[in-house]
């Protein structure tokens, strides 16, 4: 009886290779994911199995813009010196009005800008209002930005930080435009540096622009009516202002009617 012969190993190997070529690798699990020829924009990576999600990129918060003094336009703001840290802003109701509002602002931190520290207070200005070109006798207050460096008055120094000249020549009598008494108006004054020399008594009559352009423009005690061209505030406010304006902070006055200050 004959026994069937088994195929040799040499014949079995080529046959197995041929079968693999015919069937392919579809039945074998793949360790690589199928490629996707079209993809959208990738979002934050997420690991669903672990419950972790990558954090979004941190955003930068810009620094806050320094606060500006309200009611002032770009031209007026540009006229305030960079080293000024105090600004006494006197805003007239209208160009021809003689009543105003006064507020003191401080800029101790230039990154944060200006902030109000006193006021608003009621104030008076020139009888005929405001002007960009003040001349002697026009009864208008000059608009603009002016430094404040010198003070004085008939009464003793109430604690002023600015240099203070006590002198009897500050005495005043008579009546104002509406019959109100003027006595005591110059008990305390602060010289506004319009057409004057800085660093001298408010009584000094030097006029760099000439006598025709007027002078003697002060902040002084209010007498209940309009002025010749000065700015006046109540007596208690005048003392507060003298005790607050600091020459180390280069104080200025910003003055004019509301429409002019918006320029």
């Amino acid at each position: 009886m004959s026994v069937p012969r088994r195929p040799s190993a040499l014949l079995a190997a080529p046959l197995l290779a041929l079968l693999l070529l015919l069937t392919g690798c579809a039945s074998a699990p793949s360790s690589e994911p199928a490629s996707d020829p079209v993809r959208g924009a990738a979002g934050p990576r997420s690991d669903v199995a672990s419950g972790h999600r990558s954090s979004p990129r941190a955003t930068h918060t810009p620094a806050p813009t320094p606060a500006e003094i309200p009611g002032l336009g770009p031209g007026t703001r540009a006229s305030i010196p960079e080293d000024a840290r105090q600004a006494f802003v006197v805003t007239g109701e209208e160009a021809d009005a003689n009543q105003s509002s006064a507020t003191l602002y401080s800029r101790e931190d230039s990154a944060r800008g200006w902030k109000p520290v006193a006021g608003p207070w009621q104030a008076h200005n020139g009888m005929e209002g405001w002007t960009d070109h003040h001349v002697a006798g026009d009864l208008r207050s000059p608009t603009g930005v002016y430094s404040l460096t010198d003070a004085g008055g008939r009464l003793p120094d109430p604690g002023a930080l600015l240099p203070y000249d006590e002198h009897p020549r500050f005495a005043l009598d008579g009546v104002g435009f509406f019959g109100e008494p003027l006595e005591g108006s110059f008990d305390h004054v602060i010289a506004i540096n319009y057409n004057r020399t800085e660093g001298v008594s408010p009584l000094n009559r030097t006029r760099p622009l000439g006598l025709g352009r007027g002078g003697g423009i002060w902040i002084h005690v209010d007498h209940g009516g309009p002025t010749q061209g000065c700015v006046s505030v109540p007596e208690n406010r005048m003392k507060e202002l003298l005790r607050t304006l600091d020459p180390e902070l280069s104080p200025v006055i910003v003055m004019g009617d509301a429409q002019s200050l918006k320029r």
Side-chain angles (χ1 to χ4, degrees):
M1 177 174 170
S2 62
V3 179
R5 298 177 61 188
R6 295 183 178 179
S8 65
L10 294 175
L11 293 176
L15 181 59
L16 179 59
L18 178 60
L19 290 173
L20 290 174
L21 288 174
L22 292 176
T23 59
C25 299
S27 60
S30 172
S31 60
E32 295 294 332
S35 61
D36 185 354
V38 180
R39 287 184 178 272
R45 296 182 60 186
S46 175
D47 185 349
V48 178
S50 63
H52 296 293
R53 182 180 294 272
S54 59
S55 301
R57 182 177 298 176
T59 58
H60 174 68
T61 302
T65 303
E68 297 288 357
I69 298 174
L72 304 188
T76 303
R77 292 198 301 266
S79 299
I80 300 176
E82 287 292 331
D83 62 346
R85 295 293 179 265
Q86 290 177 318
F88 188 52
V89 180
V90 180
T91 306
E93 294 177 351
E94 296 179 357
D96 297 329
N98 52 51
Q99 296 191 47
S100 308
S101 175
T103 303
L104 179 62
Y105 290 85
S106 174
R107 182 169 59 175
E108 297 178 3
D109 184 348
S110 58
R112 295 187 177 184
W114 295 98
K115 65 177 181 179
V117 293
W121 306 329
Q122 291 184 341
H124 280 100
N125 53 274
M127 174 66 180
E128 300 296 332
W130 301 90
T131 179
D132 291 332
H133 187 82
H134 176 70
V135 294
D138 66 4
L139 301 182
R140 292 182 178 268
S141 299
T143 60
V145 178
Y146 306 99
S147 59
L148 302 172
T149 57
D150 306 285
R154 183 182 67 88
L155 297 182
D157 183 354
L161 300 179
L162 298 173
Y164 188 93
D165 177 30
E166 179 188 349
H167 202 286
R169 283 176 55 199
F170 284 104
L172 185 65
D173 56 18
V175 296
F177 292 102
F178 300 142
E180 72 278 11
L182 299 178
E183 184 179 359
S185 297
F186 298 162
D187 283 352
H188 303 294
V189 310
I190 298 171
I192 296 172
N193 288 338
Y194 166 82
N195 196 20
R196 72 177 298 270
T197 302
E198 297 182 13
V200 297
S201 168
L203 294 170
N204 186 285
R205 299 186 61 83
T206 302
R207 303 289 182 255
L209 300 178
L211 295 178
R213 294 297 304 276
I217 307 297
W218 298 342
I219 307 170
H220 62 70
V221 176
D222 188 75
H223 48 74
T227 71
Q228 299 275 345
C230 297
V231 170
S232 62
V233 295
E235 182 178 10
N236 60 332
R237 302 307 186 188
M238 190 68 205
K239 292 179 179 179
E240 181 179 350
L241 196 60
L242 282 166
R243 294 166 182 156
T244 305
L245 294 179
D246 187 345
E248 296 296 324
L249 301 179
S250 302
V252 297
I253 184 171
V254 182
M255 53 192 285
D257 60 278
Q259 195 61 38
S260 295
L261 294 183
K262 291 179 181 178
R263 293 181 298 201

